[in-house]
Amino acid sequence: MRSRTALFYLFVPVAFLIINSTAFAQNNGRISGTVTDKTSQQKLASATVSLLGTDKSVITDSAGSFRMTDIALNTYTLEVSLVGYKKQSLFNIIITAGNELNFSIDLEKEVSQLQDVVIRTNRRTARAATLETPMSVQRLTTEEIKSNPGGNFDISKVIQTLPGVGGGSQGGSFRNDIIIRGGAPNENVFYLDGIEIPVINHFQTQGSSGGPQGILNVSFIEDVKLTTSAFDARYDNAMSSVFQFKQKNGNPNQLQGNIRLSATELAATFDGPLSKNKKTTFLASARRSYLELLFTALDLPIRPNYWDFQTKITHQFDKKTTLSFLAIGAIDEFKFAKIKDATPEKLYVLNSNPVINQWNYTTGISLKRLIKNGFVNIALSRNSFDNDIVRYEDNETQLPSQQTLSFQSRETENKLRLDVNTTNNGWKLSYGLMLQLAEYSNNTFNVIRKELRDDNNNIIQPAITARFTSPLNNLWRYGAFAQLSRRFFNNRLGISSGIRTDMNSFTTNGKNGLQTLSPRISFSYVLADSWTLNASLGRYYKLAPYTILGFADNNNQLVNRNSDYLQSDHFAAGVEYLPNDDLRFTVEGFYKKYANVPVSLRDGISLSNLGNDFTVLGNEAVVTNGKGRAYGVEFFAQKKLTNRFFGILSYTFYRSQYSGANNIFIPSSWDNQHLLSVTWGYKFRRNWELGLKFRYQGGAPYTAFDETASRLNYLGLGQGVLDYTRLNSNRLGGFNASDVRIDKKWNFKKITLDVFLDVTNWYVAKSPAPDSYTFQRNESNTGFVTTDGQPIKADGSNAIPSRIKNDDPQVTPTIGFIVEF
């Protein structure tokens, strides 16, 4: 705590010295960027770039570049127009004295006229759909992410404002388990500038995707596109969603940066030119958490810490060829410390969680080359995820004889992707190939059940232990896709159809590309200038996690080679209404049907119900004969920032069900049924901003404890044992909370200071969660109370079972500041 305070008192004077040295006279702002043809990726000359409400206007040069200077400090709408192209508007453009904003803007060609009415599909900025993906798609800009109440600059939390997106089964959880339309958290894929990034959260659950804190630096992001159905055929392994994170380019005109300091972290970001001719730019950032100091002050036994790093370098060889390099990585440490003031709750946390050490990185190079009527992308990348988890009966003493878990694993993928994108006579064609070499290692020691004996030395519970070294080592993955799109009937009807296949060198049927043929087709019909009717259907496949493929028995024999690709059939339809440039409404219905779902041979349950804890998903024997279904309807309304106000309203009603070994559909762990989110913001004068968000999530199903098994195994496992014969037979109450954010900016000469207060769950609502199983402790919390007054027995037969409530409100106030320079 003292070190954090010292850092604060050191940093604040330095910041104000910088401010004072540059005087308090306000400076004007700058904005720059490039304008590109969305289809051909050719740079567009002679485009007009205007700031609405001012007389500021510039024309792009022969390289499609523009720069506007001496702009009064304010919030604007940026409008880009060019004859023959649809006008593009960018809302909520905040001009400050600190950083020069740089945008990459795509324009789409205007379609032909029909009876004096221009069909303006995809014209409005509020619209996020494309011809290939006409529905089930949303888009957020960097300013919407930064100003989101309760988001705390974490993209994984911000997207929970969108329709169909849940924040984990309990709603108020601190984890980023992204649940899309009732699907499991490992059904989402993430792409950063076209390169897949499998790990986007710190302390990520291996085999799944959730974790407590996102890795991506929001200062790098220009916008985020979320697709929840009608997936483009270029994306493999997508079941519930595709996230496309578009990074901005470094500022080609000058070196600049920002520093963000809060009670939990310190982050620094820099960008600028690397060459005098402005053809090479960079972005770079680093962040370090101070959660360890915070948890020490609160006397919590856990000590989480994380670091992350991110960079992007872009070089333009000529007008036709651009090379980009990106890298992102993280280091995570989760350990325990001695408790000063013991309570049953703290002691439960100490022994029910594992010690975690993780690191991961993704690095890649992508080459874009313009060709006649289109462009070619080639991407070469490598990602690696190292996970080391251990647990003891007593995580404080960590005696080797009491170790119950040791899991050491590494997943590495080397990927080559090639795609060609062309347009000829109104036909849009894209096709490509994918090749991956996956490397996997796994050394597991896991005490599932300890051997227990009674007073007469009779075995009352035999030991169940997994101990193996996976012989999987590596496998090849390869796939191909094609997508063809066109508009018909004077451009009122848009049709896009695609197909892909994926294969691998390991599973029994992995080389049969016919078994994973995944056709998809989507339709969009313009009813009127503001109304569009959309529909899509498709089949999608996903390879089982490496934790499943690489699992072996105690003889080191791989047992899951017969695993089939997870299959999901999507049916969706809806209508979109865009009354003007900044307002959008959508209503959609959806149905997802799952097949080949992995089912645990040991527990008989669908693994799609798991993946929201800090252990590992899939490190066990499975059979892929489970089924699932999710269906519902969602409503979305979005008002982009105009006249100082912006807002988002989304509501989803859905059901999510899976079957296990008994082939009976039951509610899944993600079957919350109701998701409601309301977010609005207002920009006051003198650079004050206020944001408010309300969330409601229906009660999640949960599983009761097996009382007999819990009593026998609590001392060995540190937690109760669930009764999977009653899987998800109970349901929690609904969760609701409201978050508030206040920002105040001061602009000095070439420096901007933003002081913010972000409070999650400001009205202190309870967070429903299942109780934890434990044994009653004595008053001093140094031992357990027993029925006979004797020391507690290993089988817990003389213990007194108890419960720990987990519905305390989780209020997170964050105060900090950002200095732009």
Side-chain angles (χ1 to χ4, degrees):
M1 187 70 178
R2 286 195 298 269
S3 62
R4 184 181 62 180
T5 304
L7 178 65
F8 178 81
Y9 283 118
L10 174 64
F11 193 86
V12 171
V14 171
F16 277 96
L17 282 174
I18 295 173
I19 293 170
N20 288 332
S21 68
T22 55
F24 280 78
Q26 286 195 357
N27 191 17
N28 290 331
R30 297 87 60 205
I31 189 171
S32 59
T34 57
V35 180
T36 306
D37 183 297
K38 183 176 181 179
T39 301
S40 69
Q41 292 296 290
Q42 296 276 357
K43 303 301 181 184
L44 296 177
S46 303
T48 301
V49 183
S50 307
L51 282 180
L52 299 186
T54 74
D55 59 358
K56 291 286 184 180
S57 179
V58 295
I59 304 297
T60 58
D61 61 19
S62 60
S65 299
F66 69 90
R67 191 177 191 220
M68 198 180 298
T69 60
D70 203 29
I71 305 172
L73 307 181
N74 208 332
T75 300
Y76 299 95
T77 295
L78 184 72
E79 187 176 86
V80 184
S81 60
L82 180 63
V83 175
Y85 287 83
K86 301 167 188 175
K87 190 178 297 182
Q88 175 85 326
S89 297
L90 277 66
F91 299 93
N92 198 13
I93 305 301
I94 303 175
I95 304 298
T96 66
N99 288 172
E100 175 178 321
L101 299 180
N102 186 269
F103 294 98
S104 299
I105 303 169
D106 291 336
L107 293 186
E108 188 173 2
K109 288 185 177 179
E110 188 73 82
V111 295
S112 62
Q113 293 187 350
L114 173 67
Q115 296 179 353
D116 298 326
V117 176
V118 177
I119 306 302
R120 304 181 186 274
T121 56
N122 293 325
R123 180 179 80 84
R124 295 173 171 82
T125 305
R127 182 183 175 106
T130 63
L131 175 60
E132 294 82 1
T133 306
M135 60 182 306
S136 304
V137 58
Q138 315 293 341
R139 190 187 298 271
L140 292 174
T141 66
T142 182
E143 288 302 330
E144 290 169 327
I145 296 169
K146 291 178 181 178
S147 61
N148 186 273
N152 198 24
F153 306 100
D154 190 340
I155 297 172
S156 299
K157 291 183 174 65
V158 173
I159 57 97
Q160 295 172 27
T161 62
L162 300 178
V165 183
S169 60
Q170 298 161 23
S173 170
F174 59 89
R175 286 176 54 89
N176 292 333
D177 294 302
I178 302 173
I179 310 301
I180 307 289
R181 289 181 169 179
N186 66 348
E187 296 181 7
N188 313 302
V189 294
F190 311 93
Y191 285 83
L192 186 66
D193 286 348
I195 290 179
E196 186 177 5
I197 46 171
V199 181
I200 68 163
N201 283 304
H202 290 283
F203 305 103
Q204 180 155 308
T205 302
Q206 190 170 352
S208 189
S209 65
Q213 177 67 44
I215 294 176
L216 293 175
N217 183 351
V218 67
S219 296
F220 276 51
I221 303 302
E222 188 162 311
D223 65 47
V224 180
K225 181 179 178 181
L226 168 64
T227 307
T228 55
S229 194
F231 305 130
D232 192 308
R234 73 184 67 236
Y235 301 113
D236 61 302
N237 266 14
M239 286 279 106
S240 284
S241 76
V242 176
F243 285 84
Q244 299 172 62
F245 301 101
K246 179 184 177 183
Q247 296 186 109
K248 67 180 185 179
N249 291 320
N251 183 4
N253 301 303
Q254 63 184 43
L255 178 65
Q256 60 184 20
N258 67 73
I259 295 176
R260 184 174 78 243
L261 178 66
S262 70
T264 58
E265 64 182 24
L266 172 66
T269 303
F270 298 90
D271 70 290
L274 286 178
S275 62
K276 292 183 179 180
N277 60 11
K278 301 182 180 182
K279 290 187 175 182
T280 308
T281 61
F282 84 97
L283 292 138
S285 74
R287 176 172 59 165
R288 190 212 194 281
S289 77
Y290 293 102
L291 290 174
E292 181 179 12
L293 302 176
L294 177 63
F295 284 35
T296 299
L298 297 174
D299 191 30
L300 294 177
I302 56 177
R303 297 290 187 269
N305 260 331
Y306 62 79
W307 297 257
D308 56 51
F309 316 91
Q310 192 169 342
T311 189
K312 177 184 179 181
I313 299 174
T314 303
H315 176 71
Q316 185 171 356
F317 290 100
D318 51 44
K319 290 184 178 181
K320 292 187 175 182
T321 310
T322 303
L323 181 72
S324 295
F325 168 81
L326 66 83
I328 181 170
I331 302 172
D332 305 328
E333 296 179 353
F334 188 101
K335 57 187 178 181
F336 296 94
K338 186 177 180 59
I339 302 172
K340 296 178 181 178
D341 182 18
T343 65
E345 291 79 9
K346 293 178 183 178
L347 290 168
Y348 178 84
V349 169
L350 175 66
N351 291 322
S352 62
N353 290 288
V355 178
I356 304 173
N357 284 283
Q358 294 182 352
W359 57 258
N360 72 82
Y361 68 83
T362 298
T363 182
I365 297 176
S366 61
L367 180 71
K368 179 186 290 185
R369 174 71 178 177
L370 304 188
I371 59 176
K372 183 179 180 181
N373 299 322
F375 60 97
V376 177
N377 274 322
I378 302 175
L380 180 65
S381 65
R382 176 181 172 90
N383 55 264
S384 191
F385 177 36
D386 188 273
N387 194 12
D388 189 345
I389 300 177
V390 296
R391 183 163 56 197
Y392 301 83
E393 293 181 18
D394 187 337
N395 278 326
E396 188 175 61
T397 59
Q398 297 188 4
L399 298 176
S401 61
Q402 294 183 343
Q403 188 172 35
T404 60
L405 175 64
S406 175
F407 177 81
Q408 296 176 316
S409 177
R410 183 177 298 177
E411 300 178 0
T412 302
E413 294 176 318
N414 306 279
K415 304 176 182 179
L416 174 65
R417 296 181 186 272
L418 166 69
D419 60 82
V420 181
N421 306 268
T422 62
T423 301
N424 287 292
N425 298 321
W427 291 92
K428 295 181 66 175
L429 173 65
S430 61
Y431 56 92
L433 302 169
M434 176 272 290
L435 178 66
Q436 296 186 29
L437 174 62
E439 305 165 12
Y440 181 74
S441 65
N442 180 352
N443 292 284
T444 290
F445 167 73
N446 185 15
V447 178
I448 300 168
R449 300 284 188 272
K450 288 185 63 176
E451 180 185 281
L452 295 174
R453 296 175 180 265
D454 61 16
D455 294 337
N456 297 318
N457 204 34
N458 296 315
I459 296 177
I460 58 176
Q461 176 178 275
I464 303 177
T465 302
R467 186 195 299 266
F468 68 89
T469 297
S470 176
L472 176 60
N473 296 326
N474 58 63
L475 66 115
W476 288 94
R477 298 171 57 182
Y478 34 96
F481 80 92
Q483 185 104 16
L484 184 64
S485 310
R486 186 168 171 44
R487 298 191 184 278
F488 301 91
F489 303 121
N490 291 324
N491 297 299
R492 283 196 178 273
L493 176 65
I495 300 178
S496 181
S497 61
I499 191 167
R500 76 168 292 123
T501 182
D502 291 284
M503 293 163 281
N504 73 87
S505 64
F506 172 71
T507 60
T508 303
N509 298 316
K511 297 180 181 179
N512 186 348
L514 295 178
Q515 288 196 355
T516 56
L517 277 180
S518 51
R520 72 278 317 266
I521 189 167
S522 59
F523 306 88
S524 61
Y525 186 77
V526 180
L527 301 172
D529 183 39
S530 300
W531 291 87
T532 306
L533 181 66
N534 304 299
S536 71
L537 63 150
R539 171 165 290 181
Y540 311 102
Y541 286 97
K542 178 183 182 298
L543 183 66
Y546 297 123
T547 49
I548 290 179
L549 301 181
F551 177 77
D553 60 22
N554 289 355
N555 295 317
N556 294 330
Q557 297 297 311
L558 295 167
V559 299
N560 291 328
R561 189 180 289 271
N562 289 328
S563 297
D564 290 321
Y565 280 76
L566 175 64
Q567 175 186 313
S568 181
D569 295 336
H570 287 209
F571 309 89
V575 63
E576 181 179 55
Y577 173 56
L578 294 99
N580 53 54
D581 284 3
D582 54 60
L583 192 58
R584 178 187 181 215
F585 299 91
T586 65
V587 178
E588 290 187 13
F590 61 89
Y591 184 89
K592 298 193 292 185
K593 180 181 179 182
Y594 293 89
N596 307 335
V597 181
V599 174
S600 168
L601 283 175
R602 182 180 66 235
D603 299 321
I605 67 168
S606 170
L607 264 61
S608 290
N609 287 294
L610 307 177
N612 63 340
D613 56 21
F614 290 101
T615 55
V616 178
L617 172 68
N619 197 36
E620 59 180 297
V622 302
V623 57
T624 52
N625 63 357
K627 298 179 181 179
R629 61 193 180 199
Y631 53 90
V633 61
E634 57 189 32
F635 170 78
F636 179 67
Q638 182 178 28
K639 170 70 168 63
K640 291 285 187 176
L641 178 74
T642 54
N643 299 321
R644 300 181 178 271
F645 170 79
F646 69 90
I648 295 176
L649 168 65
S650 68
Y651 170 73
T652 305
F653 171 79
Y654 72 97
R655 298 302 309 271
S656 173
Q657 301 169 327
Y658 287 97
S659 68
N662 59 8
N663 206 33
I664 298 175
F665 281 103
I666 62 172
S668 77
S669 299
W670 330 112
D671 185 46
N672 297 91
Q673 300 186 11
H674 300 279
L675 298 173
L676 172 66
S677 177
V678 182
T679 304
W680 67 268
Y682 191 83
K683 291 181 178 290
F684 296 90
R685 298 186 184 278
R686 300 184 181 274
N687 295 322
W688 285 93
E689 298 178 31
L690 173 65
L692 194 65
K693 177 169 64 179
F694 173 80
R695 295 171 291 147
Y696 174 80
Q697 187 163 307
Y702 71 96
T703 304
F705 290 107
D706 183 323
E707 296 293 338
T708 300
S710 295
R711 180 189 287 269
L712 286 171
N713 294 282
Y714 175 75
L715 294 178
L717 300 179
Q719 57 189 345
V721 177
L722 298 179
D723 183 0
Y724 286 131
T725 64
R726 297 184 289 162
L727 178 68
N728 292 336
S729 58
N730 299 323
R731 191 176 287 271
L732 298 169
F735 164 78
N736 69 90
S738 181
D739 311 324
V740 63
R741 181 183 175 95
I742 301 172
D743 283 79
K744 167 61 177 174
K745 290 184 176 70
W746 288 271
N747 286 292
F748 307 99
K749 188 178 181 181
K750 297 183 179 180
I751 287 179
T752 297
L753 174 65
D754 180 357
V755 178
F756 62 88
L757 172 66
D758 196 324
V759 183
T760 302
N761 192 17
W762 63 267
Y763 62 66
V764 198
K766 288 190 174 183
S767 301
D771 296 342
S772 298
Y773 183 97
T774 187
F775 289 160
Q776 184 177 329
R777 294 183 177 270
N778 58 27
E779 290 186 4
S780 61
N781 289 303
T782 56
F784 295 101
V785 176
T786 58
T787 56
D788 56 8
Q790 299 298 313
I792 193 166
K793 296 181 180 180
D795 63 1
S797 57
N798 62 342
I800 302 176
S802 180
R803 297 289 193 275
I804 294 176
K805 293 289 186 181
N806 293 313
D807 61 351
D808 291 338
Q810 297 184 20
V811 181
T812 308
T814 301
I815 187 169
F817 62 86
I818 306 170
V819 179
E820 297 180 0
F821 51 89

